[in-house]
């Protein structure tokens, strides 16, 4: 019976296809994560700033398009949108090796490709997170997110290592062909899903796009759980991407590591992500979703200080060890938070809330990448790594600023809205005795409602929780 319950999701064909397609796509994206900066560093001999700008370009679209993209996703069928994003990314990535073969590849083209694939990623990521609850039953969302995060970490491990191997064997430019192929596989998997997605609800009088966007932002900002998790995620991403943007340069120019070894060292950091996906569900079950997440964050963040301690020789191993423990905390928390948002947010707002959270979290990535490049250029690579990883070590304290510290578990459904007071039937108006007043008379002061009336007025306003 337990075995049937554990492999219940794996028996569902649509989930297997969704899982396989996303895992394959993530594998290719991580190959590009190694290949693209190596093309800039080795082939085009770009400076530290331009390498960090390349990393930032992929995330700038979150700042420019993230919020309206969430409103569009709530209005559009998600699977066709994801297929279109995959096809666009495939064509863009193929243009890089084609330009290299023709000897016309430039840094400008790399930046444009990174920017446009980032646009496709914005729409795909939001649509994907909203699409998962339509494929997976509500009671299996935590398990589904654990499997998706686990395979994402495994794909990162294989992709970063494979990217280094491909770069060493065939050149970094040709490694991008593998990512293009994975987008094709992901597209075929999406097209193979049989379940029909419900048509997004459309109000009789659709409101303006800016009002849809404002509604999602309002819900995210006013909710105490979403607010604190979003703030923490934004600060963490700023610091994480700050050090990751200069990590390849640090490995090549400070630690004198070869192209193939760069991929394997970065892949070593991903082992922690794979372990984080495995332990997230048992941790949440044993300690509670809120306490388990806090424990993972506080216990892992200080290990980032091992990264700037790396030196040529055997001490280079400190870099993947520190990165692996950091990844364990990040991925385990992502599993718990992903299921929390999918269960907690109203379905009709899920796309816009996801976009609001993602814009804040992912919008910090290009800023962090540029920050890392600037600090690396001004202070030097190693001092910049010290500063950024020290910030990560203390950033978990932000999680204590909200209601998380007082709870064992995160809530699993939206807060109940109080019912509106019943309408009051108008009473026949009679002439009052001389010298008296009645409620509503022009002579009554505006603030003279009785205690019962005050309570009705207070609770008539929906609580924004």
């Amino acid at each position: 019976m337990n075995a049937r319950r554990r492999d219940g999701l794996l028996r569902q064909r649509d989930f297997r296809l969704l899982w396989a397609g996303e895992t394959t796509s993530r594998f290719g994206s991580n190959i590009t994560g190694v290949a693209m900066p190596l093309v800039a560093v080795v082939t085009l001999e770009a400076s530290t700033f331009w390498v960090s700008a390349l990393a930032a370009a992929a995330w700038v679209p979150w700042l420019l398009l993230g919020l309206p993209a969430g409103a569009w996703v709530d209005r559009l069928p998600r699977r066709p949108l994801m297929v279109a994003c995959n096809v666009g990314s495939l064509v863009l990535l193929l243009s890089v090796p084609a330009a290299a073969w023709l000897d016309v590849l430039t840094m400008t083209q790399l930046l444009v490709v990174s920017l446009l694939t980032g646009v496709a990623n914005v729409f795909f990521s939001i649509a994907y997170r909203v699409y998962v609850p339509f494929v997976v039953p509500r009671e299996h969302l935590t398990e589904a997110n654990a499997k998706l995060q686990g395979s994402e970490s495994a794909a990162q491990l294989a992709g970063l290592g494979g990217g280094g191997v491909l770069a060493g064997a065939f050149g970094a430019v040709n490694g991008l062909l593998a990512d293009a192929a994975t987008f094709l596989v992901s597209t075929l998997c999406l097209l193979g899903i049989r379940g029909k997605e419900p048509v997004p609800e459309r109000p009789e009088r659709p409101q303006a796009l800016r009002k849809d966007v404002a509604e999602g932002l309002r819900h995210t900002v006013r909710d105490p759980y979403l607010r604190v998790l979003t703030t923490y995620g934004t600060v963490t991403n700023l610091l994480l991407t700050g050090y990751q943007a200069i990590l390849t340069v640090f490995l090549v120019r400070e630690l004198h590591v070869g192209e193939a070894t760069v991929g394997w060292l970065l892949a070593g950091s991903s082992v922690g992500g794979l372990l984080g996906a495995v332990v997230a569900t048992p941790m949440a079950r044993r300690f509670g979703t809120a306490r388990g997440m806090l424990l993972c964050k506080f216990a892992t963040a200080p290990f980032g200080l091992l990264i700037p301690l790396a030196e040529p020789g055997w001490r280079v191993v400190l870099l993947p060890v520190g990165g692996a423990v950091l990844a364990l905390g990040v991925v385990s928390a992502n599993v718990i938070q992903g299921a929390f948002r999918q269960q907690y947010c109203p379905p009709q707002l899920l796309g816009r809330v996801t976009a609001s959270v993602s814009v804040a979290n992912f919008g910090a990535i290009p800023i962090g990448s540029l920050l890392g490049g600037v600090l690396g250029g001004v202070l030097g690579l190693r001092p910049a790594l010290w500063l950024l990883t020290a910030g990560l070590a203390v950033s978990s304290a932000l999680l204590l600023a909200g209601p998380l510290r007082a709870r064992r578990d995160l809530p699993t459904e939206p807060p109940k809205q109080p019912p509106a007071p019943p309408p009051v039937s108008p009473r026949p108006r009679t002439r009052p005795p001389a010298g008296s007043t009645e409620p509503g008379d022009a002579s009554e002061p505006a603030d003279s409602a009785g205690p019962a009336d005050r309570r009705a007025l207070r609770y008539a306003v929906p609580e924004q929780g």
Side-chain angles (χ1 to χ4, degrees), residues 189-460:
C189 288
L190 285 171
L191 293 174
I193 294 176
R194 293 173 182 167
K196 290 186 178 181
E197 177 189 356
V199 178
E201 294 181 7
R202 294 187 179 183
E204 294 181 4
R205 295 182 178 179
Q207 59 184 357
L209 186 67
R210 61 183 178 79
K211 291 186 178 179
D212 278 346
V213 170
E215 189 177 5
L217 272 173
R218 231 179 358 254
H219 186 86
T220 305
V221 171
R222 291 180 179 179
D223 185 276
Y225 297 96
L226 295 174
R227 183 172 61 243
V228 70
L229 290 173
T230 302
T231 302
Y232 170 75
T234 301
V235 173
T236 301
N237 277 353
L238 183 77
L239 299 169
L240 278 171
T241 53
Y243 92 77
Q244 289 170 353
I246 60 176
L247 206 53
T248 299
V249 185
F250 179 67
L251 285 166
V252 172
R253 294 179 180 169
E254 292 278 334
L255 304 187
H256 311 295
V257 172
E259 291 182 29
T261 309
V262 167
W264 286 114
L265 287 172
L266 295 177
S269 299
S270 302
V271 174
L274 185 60
L275 182 59
V278 172
V279 305
T281 302
M283 286 280 291
R285 191 181 301 119
R286 172 68 179 83
F287 299 102
T289 51
R291 291 179 185 173
M293 184 176 64
L294 290 174
L295 178 61
C296 286
K297 287 295 189 180
F298 277 94
T300 60
F303 281 84
L305 295 170
L306 293 177
I307 293 171
L309 288 173
E311 297 280 357
W314 71 268
R315 288 179 63 180
V316 75
V317 75
L318 295 176
L319 188 146
V321 169
V325 180
L326 274 179
L328 188 154
V330 170
V331 171
S332 59
N334 284 347
V335 170
I336 296 171
Q337 290 181 56
F340 160 68
R341 279 197 302 268
Q342 289 163 352
Q343 295 176 8
Y344 180 72
C345 297
Q348 72 276 12
L349 282 173
L350 183 55
R352 281 166 284 172
V353 171
T354 299
S356 300
V357 174
S358 298
V359 165
N361 290 175
F362 296 156
I365 290 178
I367 299 172
S369 296
L370 293 174
L371 176 65
V374 170
L375 290 175
V378 173
L379 303 178
L381 294 170
R382 196 181 298 275
L385 288 174
W386 273 115
L387 184 62
L388 293 165
T389 53
L392 278 172
V394 300
S395 63
S396 299
L398 290 171
L399 291 171
L400 301 178
L404 291 173
R405 65 181 185 274
R407 293 188 65 105
R408 183 184 186 276
D409 290 290
L410 294 163
T412 56
E413 59 182 18
K416 296 284 191 281
Q417 301 292 352
V424 179
S425 302
R427 291 179 298 173
R429 190 172 182 86
T430 59
R431 186 175 183 85
S436 67
T437 62
E438 72 175 47
D441 191 88
S443 62
E444 180 184 17
D447 61 349
S448 63
D453 296 322
R454 294 179 195 273
R455 285 195 295 271
L457 289 171
R458 184 188 311 133
Y459 289 110

Side-chain angles (χ1 to χ4, degrees), residues 112-252:
V112 170
V113 169
S114 184
L115 183 69
L116 293 180
T117 53
V119 171
N121 181 54
V122 168
F123 284 92
F124 185 95
S125 296
I126 297 172
Y128 177 76
R129 287 175 173 84
V130 177
Y131 188 59
V132 169
F134 292 113
V135 177
V136 178
R138 181 183 178 87
E139 63 271 18
H140 292 305
L141 279 175
T142 301
E143 179 189 355
N145 280 284
K147 283 181 166 58
L148 291 166
Q149 287 284 344
S151 62
E152 181 178 332
S153 297
Q156 188 174 19
L157 174 62
L160 292 175
V165 171
L166 289 172
F170 305 106
V173 170
N174 294 324
L176 297 177
L177 291 172
D179 192 10
T182 62
F183 278 111
L184 177 61
V185 173
S186 176
T187 300
L188 294 175
C189 288
L190 285 171
L191 293 174
I193 294 176
R194 293 173 182 167
K196 290 186 178 181
E197 177 189 356
V199 178
E201 294 181 7
R202 294 187 179 183
E204 294 181 4
R205 295 182 178 179
Q207 59 184 357
L209 186 67
R210 61 183 178 79
K211 291 186 178 179
D212 278 346
V213 170
E215 189 177 5
L217 272 173
R218 231 179 358 254
H219 186 86
T220 305
V221 171
R222 291 180 179 179
D223 185 276
Y225 297 96
L226 295 174
R227 183 172 61 243
V228 70
L229 290 173
T230 302
T231 302
Y232 170 75
T234 301
V235 173
T236 301
N237 277 353
L238 183 77
L239 299 169
L240 278 171
T241 53
Y243 92 77
Q244 289 170 353
I246 60 176
L247 206 53
T248 299
V249 185
F250 179 67
L251 285 166
V252 172

